[in-house]
Amino acid sequence: MFGSNSQVIVNYSRLPGFDTENESYWDWTLDWEDLTSAPIWSSRLGFGGNGNASDKFGFRGFCVTDGPFAYLNVSFIGVMEKPHCLSRGFLAGDALASWSQRIRPTAIATLFESQDYVNFSLAIERGPHPTIPHVVHGDFSVPTALQDPVWYLVHGEYDKLWWEWQEVNRKRLEDYGGRFMDGAVEKTASLDDQLQFGGLSPDLPPPAGVLLVGSVPLASAEAVFIKACSALPQRLQAIPDGETGTRSRYVGWQRDGFPKETIRFLWGGTQQSSSTSAQYTLESIGPTRYDDVAIQSYEKLIKLRDQNLVPRDVRFQVSLPSPFSVIQGNIRPEFQMSLEPLYEQRFKESLLQIVSKVPNEDLAIQWDLCFDVISLEFDRRGMTEAPQLPGEQWKAQFFPVKQGILDRLVKLFDLVPPAVSMGFHLCYGDFRHRHIVEPVDLSLLVDLANSIFNSIGKRHNPVWVHMPVPKDRKDEAYFAPLRDLRLGEYDRLYLGLVHANDELGTQERILAAQSIYKRAFGVATECGLGRTPEEELDDILEICKTVTEPTV
């Protein structure tokens, strides 16, 4: 009874138009002395009453002809598809009085004498669980009882009783057992079982956890930490500092560390003077400053933890681009091969400072692989220019592209201690709120993620990977490549399917993903929020909270 039924209620309550914060229930202990006259059966304020005996086309009763569900057509009787009217056939007399005894307040009180889940569940099954089906009869008397809207309130009460029993002793939150399913002899139920709903609801629970990809449109790191933790309780495993200020431009803030004559013309680069030598050294490249801002932000996070404003089990997330993304995004092609190894050395200096100054067990590093992904897409499609960025060459200057990208990444992974959590933001860019290249589906990202995981091996476990989902992609074809994603048992997928002012669309994208990917996943936005209007931030965070379960 608990488990699948409970999750069906949760899943339906998350559909648009439902109260996603609270679960409704019918407390029958208030009505046990006259169940069939309870306010819930009111035709004006309730769910309609007993079947009408003058309408004889019902099932195990008569058609409901009053209230909001009058003459409602339902499709099934048990496993058989047999369209008919919603039916009820209330008990009366001694039979009603006898069944009602099972839900009187003193009978319900005895449920809480059970010391473990198995006995509590048995007490529910022998007491209140069969009562309402027998009293209401009609459609309530078969396994497809959830066709009667009152079913959801009845099972909401079972959930409330279960919660109240758990609250007596918090250790009961993880107390679960009994038979795996009806008829099972050897296998017992466990918290790791996958619930199945026979098509009435997705077989997986709702998404759990939220990833903040990186940038957040707030004024300071402190504001980001406080806002995120208050808006997303128990949903963050790591929290970034929001990449506030000039860092909101992704790799753009690194340009002033390069000679201006090497910068792409799109970003204000100048022509190289004929008298200028093309020889560059490490001194030609300024420090990245990634370590400076990370260490400063971590110190701010610690102070907020001491004030209980940031949970102690949430890691500090440092979002870093690959050096290749910095070079590819900022530097003209003719200078890339000479400047990349120099910048890579500067980048490694910063990375080593971060992992030495921030306690490894409190650190998470997310690799933001934007131009890495775009270069792979250009290579796959034979492209050289992006429609949104005309006149610029975006093709990688090495071949094979995929192996070159992996080789560059592995050199960085080797510098990150195993105790540091690691994640990957696989990105198609965000230029004026459009991707630099629109993905056809998730096939390229799945292939890249699998290759990265193979390169890491078991050095960093678990890891996470984030993949974007465009607003208009609610089709299964987009998500189909996820069937081939090879995550470890404890690795996590985050799908960037949350879009501002679009809770309904977000739910639809979740359902499309769940139809393909049968493991639990978390949610995120497509990209960082730094270029998002601040007035949309609250809506995005609220949607993230609404569509997810806590991770702890």
Side-chain angles (χ1 to χ4, degrees), residues 305-325:
R305 269 203 190 136
D306 291 340
Q307 301 173 45
N308 295 319
L309 296 174
V310 174
R312 297 189 179 277
D313 58 351
V314 176
R315 291 186 181 229
F316 173 56
Q317 176 181 318
V318 178
S319 300
L320 298 172
S322 66
F324 170 72
S325 272

Side-chain angles (χ1 to χ4, degrees), residues 249-252 255 264 266-267 325 328-330 369-378 381 383-395 425-440 468 470 526-527 531:
R249 295 181 290 125
Y250 184 43
V251 298
R255 287 180 206 133
R264 289 184 181 272
L266 180 68
W267 311 130
S325 272
Q328 182 75 339
N330 289 315
L369 306 181
C370 174
F371 287 101
D372 313 72
V373 169
I374 291 169
S375 295
L376 286 169
E377 196 68 78
F378 271 44
R381 301 190 197 183
M383 300 170 62
T384 58
E385 293 187 5
Q388 293 94 320
L389 302 171
E392 294 285 343
Q393 167 67 256
W394 298 97
K395 186 176 180 180
H425 165 43
L426 307 184
C427 181
Y428 278 87
D430 178 11
F431 185 70
R432 295 173 180 168
H433 298 295
R434 294 180 62 190
H435 290 307
I436 295 175
V437 182
E438 287 296 337
V440 175
E526 276 197 291
C527 200
R531 294 161 297 282

Side-chain angles (χ1 to χ4, degrees), residues 359-522:
N360 291 178
E361 66 279 1
D362 205 17
L363 176 63
I365 292 179
Q366 176 180 277
W367 299 102
D368 295 344
L369 306 181
C370 174
F371 287 101
D372 313 72
V373 169
I374 291 169
S375 295
L376 286 169
E377 196 68 78
F378 271 44
D379 182 59
R380 181 169 74 164
R381 301 190 197 183
M383 300 170 62
T384 58
E385 293 187 5
Q388 293 94 320
L389 302 171
E392 294 285 343
Q393 167 67 256
W394 298 97
K395 186 176 180 180
Q397 303 300 300
F398 50 82
F399 187 83
V401 177
K402 178 181 172 183
Q403 192 57 52
I405 287 173
L406 290 173
D407 290 344
R408 285 163 167 78
L409 291 174
V410 168
K411 289 190 291 185
L412 300 174
F413 301 160
D414 287 341
L415 300 178
V416 180
V420 177
S421 291
M422 252 186 2
F424 302 90
H425 165 43
L426 307 184
C427 181
Y428 278 87
D430 178 11
F431 185 70
R432 295 173 180 168
H433 298 295
R434 294 180 62 190
H435 290 307
I436 295 175
V437 182
E438 287 296 337
V440 175
D441 56 28
L442 287 174
S443 57
L444 184 143
L445 302 188
V446 168
D447 179 68
L448 177 58
N450 288 340
S451 298
I452 289 174
F453 297 149
N454 288 337
S455 300
I456 295 175
K458 296 186 180 298
R459 285 176 292 177
H460 290 274
N461 190 24
V463 298
W464 76 83
V465 60
H466 167 272
M467 300 181 184
V469 181
K471 188 174 184 178
D472 62 346
R473 298 307 298 264
K474 304 169 187 176
D475 54 302
E476 293 184 3
Y478 183 80
F479 299 96
L482 289 175
R483 293 191 179 100
D484 298 321
L485 183 62
R486 301 290 179 257
L487 292 181
E489 181 179 0
Y490 300 105
D491 298 337
R492 177 169 286 272
L493 169 67
Y494 289 95
L495 290 175
L497 42 69
V498 176
H499 291 266
N501 306 310
D502 190 29
E503 182 181 335
L504 174 58
T506 297
Q507 295 281 10
E508 292 172 338
R509 288 182 285 274
I510 289 172
L511 291 174
Q514 287 178 322
S515 70
I516 299 296
Y517 190 69
K518 300 305 181 182
R519 291 177 54 173
F521 57 83

Side-chain angles (χ1 to χ4, degrees), residues 209-212 228-229 232-239 313-314 551:
V210 177
L211 174 70
L212 290 178
C229 291
L232 299 170
Q234 298 181 301
R235 285 162 172 80
L236 297 172
Q237 294 184 320
I239 184 170
D313 58 351
V314 176
T551 56

Side-chain angles (χ1 to χ4, degrees), residues 175-194:
D175 188 359
Y176 188 67
R179 290 181 297 179
F180 173 68
M181 60 185 299
D182 287 344
V185 177
E186 296 182 358
K187 187 173 181 180
T188 57
S190 77
L191 291 173
D192 295 324
D193 293 335
Q194 179 172 309

Side-chain angles (χ1 to χ4, degrees), residues 63 93 108 119 121 150 152 202 218 224 280 292 313 345 392 412 530:
C63 294
I108 296 301
N119 284 301
S121 180
V150 175
Y152 296 88
L218 293 176
V224 173
Y280 297 103
D292 295 336
D313 58 351
Q345 180 57 39
E392 294 285 343
L412 300 174

